[in-house]
Amino acid sequence: SNVLKCWGYDSHGQVGIGRDGGYAYVATPTEVVLPDVRKVAVGGEFVCAMAADNGLIQCWGNNAASQLGNGISGKLTAPEHVVTIGGGVEIATGRQHACTRLGGGGPVMCWGSNGYGRLGVGDESTRKTPTPLLDPGGQGLFLGQDLALGDSHSCARSASGDAVWCWGWNWYGQLGVATFPDGGTVPAG
């Protein structure tokens, strides 16, 4: 079994050990009760982990922007039995958003804060649960891979691996396209 241990600033329960944060620190690595962790992504005051081979994703910590993706309000101080989504093969987090790629050739799905279109779903409305991205060419769902999320933008390699697509805020040119300062609300490459 793969054990997850976390430590550090615990203001919103992001360490995942079940206490109600405050402004406390956890100074030593402490086990998070979540069996067989395969992948972990650390966002701004929240954490998402993928457990076992079934790709179940659970998130905990700050949920002010719905970044836990579980459809509920309020923070979680431990990975309780609230599953964000199953079937994931990849997980990435930004400051207040997260994305996963589903297995079996499935789409990229994102949730949380959507300021500047960082979720890539075509608008700027927050998503409380995982929402599939549309293909930039308008041909179904976006099947990206190798997800990378920043503060207010996101990127992924195309399923074929021959292009990188980015979306969200572009104030510093981080999307690699000349649309300053507002990048786009859908993947662009």
Side-chain angles (χ1 to χ4, degrees), residues 48-51 55-59 82-86 88 90-91 100 111:
C48 292
M50 185 180 303
L56 290 178
I57 296 172
Q58 292 177 269
C59 302
V82 180
V83 175
T84 297
I85 192 168
E90 189 175 348
I91 181 76
T100 188
W111 60 91

Side-chain angles (χ1 to χ4, degrees), residues 39-64:
K39 297 180 182 185
V40 177
V42 178
E45 300 177 333
F46 77 106
V47 177
C48 292
M50 185 180 303
D53 292 327
N54 57 10
L56 290 178
I57 296 172
Q58 292 177 269
C59 302
W60 61 92
N62 191 350
N63 197 30

Side-chain angles (χ1 to χ4, degrees), residues 86-161:
V89 295
E90 189 175 348
I91 181 76
T93 54
R95 187 168 139 251
Q96 292 184 316
H97 68 299
C99 296
T100 188
R101 177 173 57 95
L102 299 182
V108 172
M109 299 184 77
C110 297
W111 60 91
S113 173
N114 195 21
Y116 305 103
R118 72 187 83 178
L119 298 182
V121 295
D123 59 39
E124 294 187 30
S125 298
T126 293
R127 296 299 196 278
K128 293 182 178 186
T129 58
T131 303
L133 279 67
L134 298 177
D135 181 77
Q139 304 297 316
L141 301 177
F142 180 64
L143 307 176
Q145 59 185 339
D146 300 328
L147 306 172
L149 280 57
D151 183 77
S152 298
H153 70 288
S154 306
C155 295
R157 226 168 27 108
S158 64
S160 62

Side-chain angles (χ1 to χ4, degrees), residues 28-48:
T28 58
T30 304
E31 185 173 342
V32 175
V33 180
L34 188 64
D36 204 17
V37 174
R38 300 300 173 118
K39 297 180 182 185
V40 177
V42 178
E45 300 177 333
F46 77 106
V47 177
C48 292

Side-chain angles (χ1 to χ4, degrees), residues 33 42-43 68 73 75-77 100 117 146-147 151-152 170 177 186-187:
V33 180
V42 178
L68 302 185
S73 298
K75 65 184 174 184
L76 291 176
T77 60
T100 188
D146 300 328
L147 306 172
D151 183 77
S152 298
N170 196 38
V177 295
V186 295

